[in-house]
Amino acid sequence: MNAVGVAQPRIEGRDKVTGAARYAADVPVPGLAFGAVVLATVSRGRVRDINVSAVQDMPGVLGVIDHRNAPRLDPKAGGFFGPDGQLQLLQDEVIPFAGRPVALVVAETLELAQAAAEALPVTYDEEPHDTVFTADHPAGRPAATLFDEPVNVGDVEAELAAASVVIDERYRTPEEHCSAMEPHSATAWWEGERLEAIDSNQGPFTVAVTLATLFSLSPDQVHIRTEHVGGGFGSKGLCGPQLILAAMAGRLFGRPVRVTLTRAQVFLATAMRPATDQLIRIGADADGRLRAIWHEPAFEISTLAEYIEGCTELTKTLYAARAIRTRLTAVPLDILPPYSMRGPGAAPGSFALESAMDELAERLGMDPLELRLRNEPVAGPVSGLPFSSRNLVACLREGARRFGWDTRDHRPRLRREGALLVGTGLAASSFSAGAFPSSATITAETDGTFTVAIGATDLGTGARTALTAIAADALKVGTERIRLRISDSGLGPVWSAGGSRGTTSWAWAITEAAEKLRGQGYGGTVTADTTRSLGDLPSRERHAYSAVFAEVTVDPVTGEVRVRRLLGMFAAGRVVNPLMARSQVIGGMIGGLSMALHEEGLRDPVSGRHVNADFAGYHIAAHADVPDIEADFVPDYEPGIPMGVKGVGEIGNVGTAAAIANAVWHATGVRQRSLPIRLDRVLE
């Protein structure tokens, strides 16, 4: 019997609900000391003084680390975008943003460390800061092109001039924070020149490589374990400040040191989604055929590190048009460095594109569903490459059938239930699919079981259960014969949990290793590395797809928007575990709901500091905000990738905010072009 495709509860579920599962801050370590982080309170300037003597003699205090005594770090350390200045903690007195760590107080207990950190006097020479993002900011420049290059296909100006209808609007999304349930925590200690760590991150191998560079070590001198992770949503994809500071403290104090960020520090010192301001122009003939799409997003970045919020991914994918132009602008500011968060780029980009498509349908007097079906491409609209698989139409048609879309009156503000206005909306979406090089090792044990070792990470998505099923099918044995080892940087090079590429990358490596083991008669130990196989994969447009339908009620007197129904149909390749995949896309849709109605990082315009760095001020969707959600999958298969799988990590999120915004327009007749859709933006 195949294990892939069968709904199975997660293997570690009992441990999690009984509290037996240990997260990074729970693991007992002998001789442990605790570090409390002190963050800068000014948005730009320099540290004038840190009065260590004021806390040095407090009970239990072991010492303070700041830029004057911190171990020196290698400035070459970085990631996709090159050297990353946000990793260079406590290296000088410069303050590039409010929330930058300026000191670590180490003490015998967490409480003593926190008390001393709060009492530590830090003075600054404050300098004028710039934290206000606008699309026409004079510092704006072309964004880096690593993941989302500018394109210019056809004659956009000519096609817009010839169009019967042109949409020319701006759409804005605010700073948003990843908001994982588990705060960032790390424990680090040194065994001679070898660095050991327990950390909460999305990829122990890649984080270990970065940490090794920082401390001028070889990768095999750093060992990181990440047994259980309570969510990441992108914020744990980097080598986090908690780990760098714990490693520094472990070296200076000669014992294990645990650094756990408070909730406020998670907001202020770890990754966020940047604010965006997106100009979209779409031109179409009277029959709805698109002539041109011109999408120019601007987004904010930090002066410390490069980053790309690839908002135009869907613009290059979803619809056929004679001309398509995209261009991204980055605006460096004195802010926390942004990083990938829940459908990076695609989620805010989808809000802009799919809102504009809805506006186009309105102007044309056309069913928004029909408009999308009418512009289905036969090949990549920009690349010209064939699609490896494309089942967006199946998602749209099946979603419409289940939602009862054919009974919708497309004119706005016609449905009422008492004082409430009722509306429905939809959005199409996609998210790129694929895999990155990874390795896996399988050992045939003498008792007939198989130990499958891969440095994958389970963020709470059920990766353990999915990879166990994949290994069982690849080896053609039952799941009870699989012993899975993950969450350890020592298990070999592997892609992290992120970009909807974790399962595909890991499944590929396990499948190749299983094939090798079967080829040698199920004996011994084999290791597979997919680097070469990935290079042989033919060039195709590879994406997951979805169609999301929303029904909302709006109280025009209070401005309250309630989402009453959400329905998502997904084409996400072969579904490894329907139970957990459905759970994951529902979680993504809730994230999209939260983006639509609640999430907004706010800054004080005078100080430039975040003013809502907690869950009392930064709103996320709570249980009472979550309606009846239906999510299901259409038949799909990704050719070229073992077992035909795609990722489901982001596709649930992308598209949901636009569907809700379009439903709010249908209810009220007023277009919402800025997120979140707050009470004051709806109030009549």
Side-chain angles (χ1 to χ4, degrees):
M1 177 180 175
N2 291 334
V4 171
V6 178
Q8 294 284 350
R10 65 186 65 213
I11 292 170
E12 78 286 6
R14 181 179 178 83
D15 285 347
K16 286 186 172 176
V17 299
T18 60
R22 295 184 186 276
Y23 291 82
D26 303 328
V27 179
V29 176
L32 192 59
F34 295 83
V37 184
V38 179
L39 301 183
T41 57
V42 302
S43 291
R44 183 178 175 86
R46 293 175 180 273
V47 175
R48 179 190 306 159
D49 185 48
I50 299 176
N51 185 7
V52 175
S53 62
V55 302
Q56 187 65 63
D57 295 330
M58 289 179 67
V61 171
L62 299 173
V64 177
I65 308 175
D66 60 35
H67 63 281
R68 297 167 296 191
N69 63 343
R72 297 298 96 185
L73 301 175
D74 189 333
K76 295 191 296 295
F80 287 119
F81 307 106
D84 188 340
Q86 68 179 312
L87 302 174
Q88 299 297 313
L89 299 182
L90 310 186
Q91 299 301 289
D92 55 37
E93 73 279 13
V94 176
I95 306 300
F97 65 91
R100 176 75 157 179
V102 295
L104 182 77
V105 179
V106 182
E108 293 289 354
T109 71
L110 174 62
E111 293 77 9
L112 292 171
Q114 289 178 334
E118 291 175 6
L120 182 66
V122 181
T123 55
Y124 303 93
D125 291 321
E126 197 165 355
E127 299 173 2
H129 62 265
D130 185 357
T131 59
V132 179
F133 166 68
T134 59
D136 59 353
H137 193 290
R141 57 165 174 77
T145 59
L146 184 59
F147 295 123
D148 197 351
E149 295 182 353
V151 300
N152 193 7
V153 176
D155 189 335
V156 168
E157 284 88 354
E159 296 295 342
L160 287 173
S164 300
V165 176
V166 175
I167 300 298
D168 185 349
E169 297 291 351
R170 305 194 78 93
Y171 304 86
R172 296 177 175 88
T173 61
E175 292 180 357
E176 298 166 355
H177 292 265
C178 299
S179 305
M181 185 181 297
E182 179 203 18
H184 298 53
S185 180
T187 304
W189 65 96
W190 293 76
E191 298 177 355
E193 288 302 307
R194 182 176 174 81
L195 176 57
E196 294 279 341
I198 300 166
D199 185 38
S200 180
N201 67 55
Q202 294 178 217
F205 178 80
T206 54
V207 170
V209 170
T210 302
L211 198 62
T213 304
L214 278 170
F215 285 88
S216 302
L217 303 170
S218 63
D220 61 2
Q221 289 177 280
V222 178
H223 180 214
I224 298 176
R225 288 175 287 155
T226 312
E227 189 60 34
H228 294 287
V229 181
F233 307 116
S235 71
K236 296 173 182 172
L238 289 167
C239 184
Q242 76 285 352
L243 179 56
I244 299 168
L245 296 173
M248 285 181 171
R251 167 158 277 180
L252 288 183
F253 295 99
R255 59 191 283 191
V257 176
R258 175 164 295 163
V259 176
T260 302
L261 303 186
T262 66
R263 178 58 65 189
Q265 289 172 342
V266 171
F267 274 94
L268 297 170
T270 69
M272 66 169 186
R273 192 200 304 277
T276 73
D277 185 328
Q278 304 177 56
L279 172 66
I280 286 198
R281 298 187 177 101
I282 301 181
D285 290 330
D287 65 356
R289 306 284 180 186
L290 299 187
R291 281 184 168 270
I293 308 176
W294 186 351
H295 189 180
E296 290 194 354
F299 59 92
E300 58 184 6
I301 62 172
S302 163
T303 56
L304 284 179
E306 191 58 81
Y307 173 70
I308 299 168
E309 187 72 9
C311 297
T312 62
E313 176 185 327
L314 275 69
T315 307
K316 303 171 185 174
T317 305
L318 277 185
Y319 303 116
R322 296 180 183 179
I324 297 176
R325 178 182 296 169
T326 67
R327 184 174 62 186
L328 287 161
T329 297
V331 179
L333 298 171
D334 302 319
I335 60 170
L336 169 72
Y339 198 64
S340 302
M341 169 182 163
R342 298 187 232 147
S350 164
F351 167 67
L353 177 64
E354 286 299 280
S355 293
M357 286 293 286
D358 208 66
E359 295 204 51
L360 180 62
E362 172 194 351
R363 294 276 301 277
L364 291 166
M366 180 179 289
D367 178 352
L369 172 65
E370 177 57 31
L371 176 64
R372 287 165 171 82
L373 294 173
R374 194 162 293 185
N375 289 286
E376 175 72 0
V378 296
V382 169
S383 70
L385 292 171
F387 292 101
S388 59
S389 62
R390 184 175 169 103
N391 281 308
L392 175 59
V393 169
C395 293
L396 286 165
R397 292 196 186 284
E398 180 60 15
R401 184 190 70 78
R402 296 190 187 192
F403 195 76
W405 187 261
D406 60 346
T407 64
R408 182 188 197 246
D409 188 323
H410 303 304
R411 295 171 297 175
R413 209 178 173 95
L414 291 182
R415 289 181 63 190
R416 284 184 176 270
E417 291 182 6
L420 301 178
L421 302 170
V422 182
T424 54
L426 71 83
S429 71
S430 66
F431 196 84
S432 64
F436 284 109
S438 296
S439 65
T441 297
I442 302 179
T443 299
E445 308 290 356
T446 56
D447 62 357
T449 64
F450 299 89
T451 298
V452 180
I454 184 167
T457 308
D458 193 334
L459 303 180
T461 56
R464 282 181 181 79
T465 313
L467 296 184
T468 298
I470 288 167
D473 279 12
L475 287 166
K476 303 185 185 304
V477 300
T479 55
E480 73 281 358
R481 295 174 66 185
I482 303 299
R483 305 287 179 264
L484 187 70
R485 292 183 60 204
I486 62 172
S487 309
D488 190 319
S489 66
L491 298 178
V494 70
W495 176 244
S496 303
S500 292
R501 283 165 167 77
T503 301
T504 51
S505 303
W506 307 330
W508 197 322
I510 290 173
T511 302
E512 284 201 358
E515 186 176 343
K516 290 175 70 174
L517 193 69
R518 294 201 317 270
Q520 61 185 46
Y522 286 93
T525 296
V526 299
T527 296
D529 186 319
T530 61
T531 302
R532 183 170 181 176
S533 303
L534 281 163
D536 295 336
L537 194 64
S539 295
R540 296 285 187 274
E541 290 272 354
R542 301 182 186 277
H543 309 274
Y545 299 93
S546 77
V548 181
F549 297 76
E551 179 175 313
V552 304
T553 62
V554 179
D555 187 330
V557 175
T558 65
E560 182 183 28
V561 176
R562 304 289 294 183
V563 178
R564 195 152 66 178
R565 289 176 67 199
L566 275 179
L567 184 151
M569 292 302 302
F570 299 90
R574 188 181 180 193
V575 177
V576 176
N577 185 325
L579 179 65
M580 289 187 298
R582 180 176 177 276
S583 176
Q584 196 164 355
V585 295
I586 285 177
M589 293 167 75
I590 294 171
L593 185 160
S594 200
M595 179 183 184
L597 301 183
H598 304 297
E599 298 194 49
E600 183 175 29
L602 296 171
R603 293 179 184 278
D604 180 276
V606 175
S607 71
R609 297 173 57 186
H610 275 292
V611 296
N612 59 341
D614 56 51
F615 287 142
Y618 184 88
H619 295 170
I620 58 175
H623 193 273
D625 299 307
V626 177
D628 174 28
I629 297 181
E630 180 180 354
D632 207 347
F633 300 88
V634 301
D636 196 35
Y637 190 90
E638 181 62 23
I641 293 182
M643 298 192 178
V645 301
K646 300 176 184 175
V648 294
E650 330 271 351
I651 190 64
N653 193 292
V654 180
T656 300
I660 292 171
N662 293 337
V664 171
W665 168 80
H666 189 233
T668 64
V670 178
R671 187 64 63 177
Q672 299 292 329
R673 300 190 182 95
S674 295
L675 296 182
I677 306 173
R678 300 187 314 240
L679 304 183
D680 60 292
R681 288 172 171 160
V682 180
L683 195 65
E684 296 183 358

